[in-house]
Amino acid sequence: MTLSAAGLTTLVVAALAVVAISPFILIALLVNDLRKKSSW
Amino acid sequence: MNADAVLSTPVAVVIVAIFSVFWVALGWWLGRANRSLEDYMLAGRHVGLGLATATAMATWVTSNTTMTAPQLAYQLGIWGMVGYSLGAVGLLLFAPLAKRIRELMPHGYTSGDFIRVRYGRFAWRVFLLISLFYALGWLVSLAMAGGLLVEALSGIPYAWGMTVIVVTCTLYTVFGGLRAVIGTDFVQTLIILAGLALLAGLVIVEVGFEPVHRQLAEERPGLLNLLLPASLMFLFNNLLFGVGEIFHSNVWWSRAFAFGEGVGFRAYLLAGLMWLPVPIVAGFIALAAPALGVNVPSPDMVAPLVAGHLMGEAGAILVFIVVFAALASSLDSLLAATSDLLLNDIYRGHLRPDAGEAELRRAAAWIIIALGALAWALAMPRLGTLAALLHLTGAFVASTIWPIVFGLRWGRGSGAGAASAMILGTVCGLVAYNVIGFYVAALVSAAVSLVVTTVTFQLSRKRFMFSELAATRATGP
């Protein structure tokens, strides 16, 4: 049983989408902490 | 000098110098807020969700993720990288435990505190041996990865690159304690994620999925095989290895103590979800090597070589910065958490039970320096490959999963039972490592430990009062 080209594409595109959006989520969470003065 | 080096030595020296000064300065600046030992070791116990998620994420994204995940993809194929990504399960499963740990031990400092109070001094010492061996193994593997990376990319001798990375991380951890570690982790996380996304995006644009898949199917069809037995064993082994690493290590426990009330559960959950795709993205970069016709002299250098081939010097610089960030974010965490364990459980727990706060604060700094020096000395001979060193510790850490999980949830169980589970699990895991292969060491260790823990918990008549954990620091070792 071999992974098809479509399977490889789906796997990598989904993973890349999460990796690409993660920095923005982290910055938003930090800004929220700073606004609430709860970063430390 | 490495003939495949794609980054000129002067450029590499400038990058290393700039980032080293930046991390040390940032660590010192963040550490100015430290007033007490608790500030230094646990960042004041009020870390918010943004920093908490980033530090959990960055610590788990090690140079092993950015260099060994591609290596495993290159050697074991699809299941190599997917199996590596299951390391995220450890972070996800630790989320409820972090909540429980914070509630049970609001004044706790280390994972050793829990084992000592819950199971007694013998099990505590067995646990400390396992934990310190693992921490040292991980530290040495990180230091070695640093030296290898610098050499692969720039031709700077292994010893010099490794030395600069270890010294930089040691300095800013000494200056700023856990605040410096967490603050730098945040910046390092952003660099790692952005760099990986950029590189993988470039592979897709420059090479494309179809050529990568076609070339793999022609040259190395085994890498696309979904039923490769060794890869499937690796997948489950890596899952248990990751769970064992996180459940027992003080790196994660100290964060559970440091995160603000109600933050731990959400932070570990988010960090796990964000970490899950990272090894897949890093592994995909390595799978492009056959399509690009990259010559890979050593599998653990496949990612930097692909990046260098694809982007020339800019690619080499990018990978250099990403892996330097990944190395630093894990090395600093490990230095801080292991020094906490040495300070709290060895120095205070065994040698100087009456030491005051000022003495402990001084000792903490010296322990970080000594630990950095030890890791440097052990990494210098460049023994073994990164993956071999990493997987040997799997036999040790997987044996601690069940005594911790059972011990946090149920009042039954004895110290002798927990110690037996850890010792027998480790021994059987090591036998499996040598007789069968690295991909079953954690699996066998966890299975044996589960059987022993279950039986001893069933037979035990003792009932532990969890309220004893709340007063951990008040009574002391």
Side-chain angles (χ1 to χ4, degrees), chain A residues 1 3-5 15 33 38-40, chain B residues 46 48-50 213 224-226 277:
Chain A
M1 196 174 150
L3 184 72
S4 65
D33 286 344
S38 60
S39 54
W40 287 122
Chain B
H46 296 294
L49 185 60
H213 187 270
L224 293 168
N225 187 351
L226 295 175

Side-chain angles (χ1 to χ4, degrees), chain B residues 228-297:
Chain B
L228 202 63
S231 302
L232 285 171
M233 293 295 274
F234 168 77
L235 188 140
F236 289 108
N237 187 72
N238 207 53
L239 195 153
L240 285 167
F241 186 8
V243 171
E245 280 184 284
I246 290 180
F247 278 26
H248 93 284
S249 173
N250 195 49
V251 167
W252 311 100
W253 280 70
S254 68
R255 277 162 175 70
F257 295 129
F259 294 168
E261 213 173 327
V263 169
F265 179 81
R266 287 178 295 154
Y268 277 107
L269 201 63
L270 262 177
L273 293 173
M274 288 181 185
W275 192 91
L276 189 77
V278 170
I280 295 174
V281 172
F284 174 66
I285 294 167
L287 291 183
L292 287 166
V294 175
N295 174 36
V296 183

Side-chain angles (χ1 to χ4, degrees), chain A residues 1-6 8-9 11-16 18-20 22-27 29-30 33 38-40, chain B residues 46-51 53-54 78 179 186 189-190 193 197 204 209-210 213 224-227 270 274 277 280-281 284:
Chain A
M1 196 174 150
T2 304
L3 184 72
S4 65
L8 181 68
T9 306
L11 179 71
V12 175
V13 168
L16 186 55
V18 178
V19 169
S22 294
F24 300 102
I25 295 173
L26 290 172
I27 291 169
L29 289 174
L30 179 65
D33 286 344
S38 60
S39 54
W40 287 122
Chain B
H46 296 294
V47 178
L49 185 60
L51 290 170
T53 306
I78 296 301
R179 273 206 170 94
F186 188 86
T189 309
L190 300 186
L193 292 171
I204 294 169
F209 288 109
E210 192 62 42
H213 187 270
L224 293 168
N225 187 351
L226 295 175
L227 296 173
L270 262 177
M274 288 181 185
I280 295 174
V281 172
F284 174 66

Side-chain angles (χ1 to χ4, degrees), chain B residues 125-370:
Chain B
R125 285 172 179 145
V126 172
F127 176 81
L128 285 176
L129 278 176
I130 289 173
S131 203
L132 291 171
F133 174 77
Y134 161 79
L136 204 58
W138 193 12
L139 261 177
V140 173
S141 105
L142 287 173
M144 282 171 58
L148 284 170
L149 165 87
V150 172
E151 190 174 68
L153 285 175
S154 67
I156 293 176
Y158 167 84
W160 284 101
M162 189 271 289
T163 303
V164 170
I165 288 166
V166 171
V167 168
T168 300
C169 293
T170 304
L171 278 179
Y172 75 75
T173 308
V174 167
F175 289 152
L178 193 59
R179 273 206 170 94
V181 170
I182 289 175
T184 51
D185 275 1
F186 188 86
V187 184
Q188 287 153 356
T189 309
L190 300 186
I191 292 174
I192 294 163
L193 292 171
L196 276 180
L198 186 65
L199 263 177
L202 208 70
V203 170
I204 294 169
V205 171
E206 295 285 321
V207 189
F209 288 109
E210 192 62 42
V212 169
H213 187 270
R214 193 174 50 243
Q215 204 68 24
L216 281 175
E218 281 173 16
E219 278 186 32
R220 305 184 65 187
L223 299 187
L224 293 168
N225 187 351
L226 295 175
L227 296 173
L228 202 63
S231 302
L232 285 171
M233 293 295 274
F234 168 77
L235 188 140
F236 289 108
N237 187 72
N238 207 53
L239 195 153
L240 285 167
F241 186 8
V243 171
E245 280 184 284
I246 290 180
F247 278 26
H248 93 284
S249 173
N250 195 49
V251 167
W252 311 100
W253 280 70
S254 68
R255 277 162 175 70
F257 295 129
F259 294 168
E261 213 173 327
V263 169
F265 179 81
R266 287 178 295 154
Y268 277 107
L269 201 63
L270 262 177
L273 293 173
M274 288 181 185
W275 192 91
L276 189 77
V278 170
I280 295 174
V281 172
F284 174 66
I285 294 167
L287 291 183
L292 287 166
V294 175
N295 174 36
V296 183
S298 171
D300 52 11
M301 291 179 189
V302 62
L305 289 173
V306 168
H309 185 91
L310 212 57
M311 291 174 73
E313 194 154 47
I317 291 171
L318 184 63
V319 171
F320 198 86
I321 293 170
V322 166
V323 183
F324 193 33
L327 277 163
S329 66
S330 306
L331 233 161
D332 60 5
S333 300
L334 203 50
L335 278 171
T338 310
S339 73
D340 286 354
L341 204 60
L342 286 167
L343 180 76
N344 187 64
D345 296 77
I346 303 293
Y347 187 81
R348 182 170 175 267
H350 285 86
L351 306 172
R352 301 270 301 162
D354 299 322
E357 176 148 332
E359 179 185 336
L360 290 171
R361 177 70 181 75
R362 274 196 307 278
W366 283 111
I367 287 170
I368 294 169
I369 293 168

